[in-house]
């Protein structure tokens, strides 16, 4: 039986952890028995590098808000689930998502980045125009398929043919945007695709022929219209073909189809760059001289018609219109027309003075000058002027 003295010599082990005044008890385990420190950088790195998805997710959640580190992990981490989780944590950082979609070597990372950019159409345009990877560019274009104005931007601005072609493909039923692409794109192949996509959209092709800043595209649009000339009914489109088509046969057909539109014929004569189109238009206009009432049309026939009979007829119908007759006398390229016009101005002295001064041709100037110098005319004009400006007596 133990005695009291022996108990004092052997104290209970539990007494060692009794709190002493001013000292806190320690229960730390030895290092070889401790669990992992989930707040250490070593544990974060280990969780990211290893394949445990739960551990990686917990570790990545501690990096939320650190875009630079998350972007690096999303680009180069070994495991797919780690990369995808890193991208998901970048949902509010558009710049980082765009960078991943453009440059990440991992396809799954790029796909996830593009999905997260779905609501940000401007960012998708950037990806479609400049991503280094074809699959990503096309995925971005697909997500823009109902945003036609943005698709036209991609078709115009992208450095990559696949993105431009895909964008034009989604614009097939949008002639307004196709016209924009054909008129503004700096890429010849894309402009040609836009023209093909316009098909037989006559008014859109005419706009391209008018407004494209590229001569080859304007010629291409005119060529398409020229091939359709027998089907064309719109006078404005026929007028464009007649004035500018590079094909003589098509110009002739277009002018012939406008034979009943005298104003169009006059415009062709005045502005077509092709001599054959101008000649055909003036011949057709001359055939209608007997029906013409418009002063401008009659003046054009009087000055430029190749037929003498039609010129005389037009000048006779202009009798009494001194201003127009003076214009004919001063500018017609045919001498008979000039002299006939001056002959009808014998009583319009003001217009005779105009002809004697501004006419490009000596014959009409001489006739006008001689008429103004006749004794009777000169005396009458001098008397009139003296009456209007009486001389004061000294």
């Amino acid at each position: 039986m133990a005695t009291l003295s022996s108990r004092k010599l052997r104290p209970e082990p539990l007494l060692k952890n009794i709190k002493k005044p001013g000292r806190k008890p320690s229960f730390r385990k030895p290092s070889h028995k401790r669990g992992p420190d989930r707040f250490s950088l070593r544990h974060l790195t280990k969780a990211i590098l290893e394949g445990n998805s739960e551990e990686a997710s917990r570790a990545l959640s501690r990096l939320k808000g650190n875009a630079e580190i998350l972007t690096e992990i999303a680009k180069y981490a070994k495991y797919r689930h780690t990369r995808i989780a890193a991208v998901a944590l970048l949902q509010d950082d558009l710049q980082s998502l765009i960078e991943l979609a453009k440059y990440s070597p991992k396809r799954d990372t790029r796909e996830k980045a593009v999905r997260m950019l779905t609501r940000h159409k401007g960012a998708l345009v950037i990806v479609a125009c400049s991503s280094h990877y074809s699959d990503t560019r096309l995925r971005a274009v697909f997500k823009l398929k109902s945003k036609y104005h943005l698709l036209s931007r991609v078709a115009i601005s992208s450095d990559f043919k696949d993105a431009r072609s895909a964008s034009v493909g989604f614009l097939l039923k949008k002639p307004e945007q196709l016209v924009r692409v054909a008129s503004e794109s700096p890429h010849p192949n894309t402009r040609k695709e836009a023209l093909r996509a316009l098909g037989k959209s006559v008014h859109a092709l005419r706009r391209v022929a008018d407004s494209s800043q590229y001569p080859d595209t304007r010629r291409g649009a005119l060529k398409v219209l020229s091939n359709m000339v027998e089907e064309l009914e719109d006078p404005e489109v026929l007028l464009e073909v007649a004035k500018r088509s590079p094909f003589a046969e098509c110009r002739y057909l277009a002018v012939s189809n406008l034979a009943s539109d005298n104003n169009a014929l006059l415009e062709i004569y005045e502005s077509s760059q092709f001599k054959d189109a101008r000649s055909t238009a003036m011949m057709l206009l001359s055939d209608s001289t007997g029906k013409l009432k418009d002063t401008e049309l009659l003046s054009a026939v009087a000055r430029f018609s190749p037929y003498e009979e039609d010129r005389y007829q037009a000048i006779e119908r202009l009798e009494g219109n001194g201003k127009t007759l003076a214009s004919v006398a001063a500018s017609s390229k045919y001498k008979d027309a000039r002299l006939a016009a001056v002959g009808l101005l014998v009583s319009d002295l003001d217009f005779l003075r105009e002809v004697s001064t501004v006419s490009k041709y000596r014959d009409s100037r001489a006739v006008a000058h001689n008429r103004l110098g006749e004794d009777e005319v000169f005396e009458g004009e001098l008397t009139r002027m003296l009456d209007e400006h009486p001389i004061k007596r000294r």
Side-chain angles (χ1 to χ4, degrees), residues 232-353:
L232 297 177
E233 296 179 355
D234 190 317
E236 292 186 358
V237 180
L238 284 167
L239 186 60
E240 287 298 317
V241 175
K243 290 194 297 183
R244 300 168 55 192
S245 173
F247 307 103
E249 183 181 353
C250 296
R251 293 195 296 269
Y252 178 77
L253 288 172
V255 176
S256 300
N257 289 342
L258 290 168
S260 59
D261 190 337
N262 294 320
N263 290 311
L265 292 173
L266 178 59
E267 184 173 344
I268 293 168
Y269 180 79
E270 290 178 341
S271 59
S272 176
Q273 54 188 305
F274 299 100
K275 185 177 180 179
D276 61 328
R278 295 197 300 271
S279 299
T280 305
M282 182 49 67
M283 285 189 289
L284 291 172
L285 186 59
S286 299
D287 291 342
S288 304
T289 304
K291 302 176 183 178
L292 297 179
K293 295 181 180 179
D294 186 87
T295 301
E296 186 178 3
L297 296 174
L298 287 168
S299 174
V301 174
R303 286 181 294 160
F304 305 117
S305 173
Y307 306 117
E308 183 177 356
E309 181 182 348
D310 292 325
R311 293 196 297 270
Y312 277 124
Q313 186 178 6
I315 290 170
E316 287 174 0
R317 293 173 67 97
L318 286 170
E319 187 172 4
N321 192 323
K323 182 177 181 180
T324 305
L325 286 170
S327 174
V328 173
S331 62
S332 176
K333 64 179 184 177
Y334 298 100
K335 182 177 180 179
D336 58 349
R338 294 195 297 271
L339 298 181
V342 172
L344 292 177
L345 287 172
V346 290
S347 58
D348 292 321
L349 300 183
D350 289 336
F351 291 117
L352 280 173
R353 285 194 194 88

Side-chain angles (χ1 to χ4, degrees), residues 8-28:
K8 288 181 181 179
L9 292 174
R10 294 193 301 257
E12 288 291 334
L14 295 176
L15 295 178
K16 289 192 292 184
N17 287 327
I18 293 177
K19 183 177 180 180
K20 295 181 181 179
R23 187 174 177 184
K24 195 173 182 178
S26 174
F27 295 99
R28 281 177 62 84

Side-chain angles (χ1 to χ4, degrees), residues 6-205:
S6 64
R7 286 181 187 162
K8 288 181 181 179
L9 292 174
R10 294 193 301 257
E12 288 291 334
L14 295 176
L15 295 178
K16 289 192 292 184
N17 287 327
I18 293 177
K19 183 177 180 180
K20 295 181 181 179
R23 187 174 177 184
K24 195 173 182 178
S26 174
F27 295 99
R28 281 177 62 84
K29 294 182 180 180
S31 59
H32 65 281
K33 292 185 178 181
R34 292 179 201 155
D37 181 1
R38 288 178 170 76
F39 295 94
S40 69
L41 295 176
R42 182 186 299 175
H43 178 262
L44 284 176
T45 305
K46 184 178 179 182
I48 291 168
L49 294 177
E50 291 182 350
N52 189 315
S53 59
E54 293 183 7
E55 289 291 326
S57 297
R58 281 196 289 268
L60 289 171
S61 65
R62 290 185 53 201
L63 296 172
K64 187 173 183 180
N66 196 322
E68 185 177 356
I69 297 176
L70 288 171
T71 301
E72 197 73 6
I73 293 169
K75 282 184 181 178
Y76 303 113
K78 179 179 179 180
Y79 295 102
R80 180 180 182 278
H81 60 77
T82 304
R83 296 193 298 270
I84 299 303
V87 177
L89 291 170
L90 289 167
Q91 59 182 346
D92 298 323
D93 193 326
L94 292 184
Q95 196 59 45
S96 297
L97 290 172
I98 291 171
E99 182 182 343
L100 289 174
K102 288 170 64 174
Y103 306 124
S104 175
K106 305 293 186 181
R107 181 170 181 169
D108 49 24
T109 299
R110 298 194 303 270
E111 290 179 357
K112 178 68 174 177
V114 171
R115 281 199 300 273
M116 296 189 68
L117 289 171
T118 300
R119 292 183 296 107
H120 305 282
K121 304 303 182 185
L124 289 173
V125 171
I126 296 172
V127 173
C129 288
S130 56
S131 176
H132 287 186
Y133 300 92
S134 177
D135 61 296
T136 304
R137 294 192 296 268
L138 297 179
R139 189 177 293 274
V141 170
F142 182 79
K143 289 188 175 295
L144 290 169
K145 64 181 180 180
S146 61
K147 304 295 180 182
Y148 302 111
H149 64 292
L150 296 179
L151 285 169
S152 64
R153 277 177 54 189
V154 176
I156 292 169
S157 307
S158 179
D159 295 328
F160 300 94
K161 184 180 178 181
D162 54 1
R164 297 195 303 268
S165 297
S167 298
V168 171
F170 284 119
L171 293 173
L172 284 177
K173 295 183 179 180
K174 297 295 174 181
E176 288 289 326
Q177 301 301 332
L178 288 171
V179 168
R180 181 185 172 197
V181 174
S183 300
E184 299 178 19
S185 175
H187 308 283
N189 290 335
T190 302
R191 296 198 298 271
K192 288 179 181 178
E193 287 182 21
L195 279 180
R196 285 196 295 270
L198 284 171
K200 294 187 177 183
S201 182
V202 173
H203 294 286
L205 287 166

